[in-house]
Amino acid sequence: MNTQFKKGVLELIVLLAVRKKNMYGYELTLLVSKVVDVNDGTIYPLLKRLTNERYFETYFVESTEGPSRKYYKMTDLGKKRVVLLKKSWLSFSNSVNKFIKESEGNE
Amino acid sequence: MNTQFKKGVLELIVLLAVRKKNMYGYELTLLVSKVVDVNDGTIYPLLKRLTNERYFETYFVESTEGPSRKYYKMTDLGKKRVVLLKKSWLSFSNSVNKFIKESEGNE
DNA sequence: TTTAGTACTTGACAATGCAAGATAGCTGGT
DNA sequence: ACCAGCTATCTTGCATTGTCAAGTACTAAA
């Protein structure tokens, strides 16, 4: 999998996931891995950044399966962010896919 | 426009463009700008890298409108690269768009 | 000869993802 | 009691790629 393609898109995926349901880091890593190949050392710093930027709030919940889980919950600011970022991604990927189609005919 | 989204995709766009037709840097900058917002200071280093990696070969042609133009022509290696990269992008963007659709329902 | 447009290079910089590893809690088996 | 293995969080150093500003240099037209 091409690492470069992921730049910026992981943020969108994580925002979409947490908007739908409060989640903790490990859970998110497993979920996001189903969509694109990703490493937990990527997810944790991203969650930290999104929390610093006030898109998420956090709280702890004890677990019987290991250490406490830090849950992430989306803020109103986060909801605005995800709408914008999603729009931006769709517009970008559309442009690129259109260009690809126009470039066909001599594979 | 989100800068991060472009990572890796500019390479694909430039490869597709040059596969279709030999082009010089300035011409490419104008063409690529129609697809995604980009600056000539980004395109020239990219062309250099792709030439170093043997995806392109170059030759000069004199111009009546300014200095000689350095044309880029795709090699066989470049043709293999563009097929792979395109496949990789389509698969990636499909996964992401599928995830976006599944995340709808509470905008 | 000045101006505008063409053509390209360089270097300092920012953002993001990755690999590897540290730390630590919980459970079940020996 | 000990250890392996799974769960869970987080940090650090590194590589890659795009951005931006600045500068070089050439040509043609005013």
Side-chain angles (χ1 to χ4, degrees), chain B residues 50-65:
Chain B
L50 295 175
T51 305
N52 287 340
E53 290 171 347
R54 312 281 167 213
Y55 300 140
F56 291 153
E57 281 163 2
T58 63
Y59 58 94
F60 281 91
V61 174
E62 280 169 48
S63 163
T64 56
E65 294 159 72

Side-chain angles (χ1 to χ4, degrees), chain A residues 12-72:
Chain A
L12 174 59
I13 293 173
V14 166
L15 287 167
L16 287 166
V18 175
R19 181 177 66 174
K20 203 167 187 179
K21 172 169 162 292
N22 296 0
M23 295 182 86
Y24 55 97
Y26 189 73
E27 192 185 8
L28 265 164
T29 301
L30 296 181
L31 175 69
V32 175
S33 294
K34 290 182 193 162
V35 187
V36 290
D37 198 40
V38 77
N39 178 303
D40 72 306
T42 299
I43 295 294
Y44 287 112
L46 174 57
L47 289 170
K48 199 179 192 176
R49 197 192 98 216
L50 295 175
T51 305
N52 286 340
E53 290 171 348
R54 312 280 168 215
Y55 300 140
F56 292 154
E57 281 163 2
T58 63
Y59 58 96
F60 280 91
V61 174
E62 279 167 50
S63 164
T64 56
E65 294 159 72
S68 288
R69 294 163 171 170
K70 191 195 271 188
Y71 275 81
Y72 295 84

Side-chain angles (χ1 to χ4, degrees), chain B:
Chain B
M1 149 152 294
N2 190 309
T3 294
Q4 298 303 319
F5 290 161
K6 292 179 218 170
K7 308 261 168 166
V9 181
L10 282 180
E11 177 178 338
L12 175 59
I13 293 173
V14 166
L15 287 168
L16 287 167
V18 175
R19 181 177 67 174
K20 201 166 189 180
K21 173 168 162 293
N22 296 0
M23 296 182 87
Y24 56 96
Y26 189 73
E27 192 184 10
L28 264 164
T29 301
L30 296 181
L31 176 68
V32 174
S33 294
K34 288 182 195 163
V35 188
V36 290
D37 197 40
V38 77
N39 149 325
D40 70 310
T42 299
I43 294 294
Y44 288 112
L46 174 56
L47 289 170
K48 201 177 193 179
R49 195 191 100 214
L50 295 175
T51 305
N52 287 340
E53 290 171 347
R54 312 281 167 213
Y55 300 140
F56 291 153
E57 281 163 2
T58 63
Y59 58 94
F60 281 91
V61 174
E62 280 169 48
S63 163
T64 56
E65 294 159 72
S68 287
R69 292 164 172 168
K70 190 195 273 188
Y71 275 81
Y72 295 84
K73 173 181 164 36
M74 181 159 282
T75 63
D76 287 343
L77 192 61
K79 285 174 192 166
K80 286 178 193 159
R81 171 73 176 156
V82 68
V83 167
L84 273 183
L85 194 59
K86 180 181 143 185
K87 201 171 287 182
S88 170
W89 161 259
L90 289 175
S91 144
F92 175 80
S93 68
N94 266 334
S95 299
V96 174
N97 287 329
K98 211 174 120 197
F99 185 77
I100 290 176
K101 278 197 191 101
E102 286 163 7
S103 304
E104 271 158 15
N106 55 346
E107 302 283 308

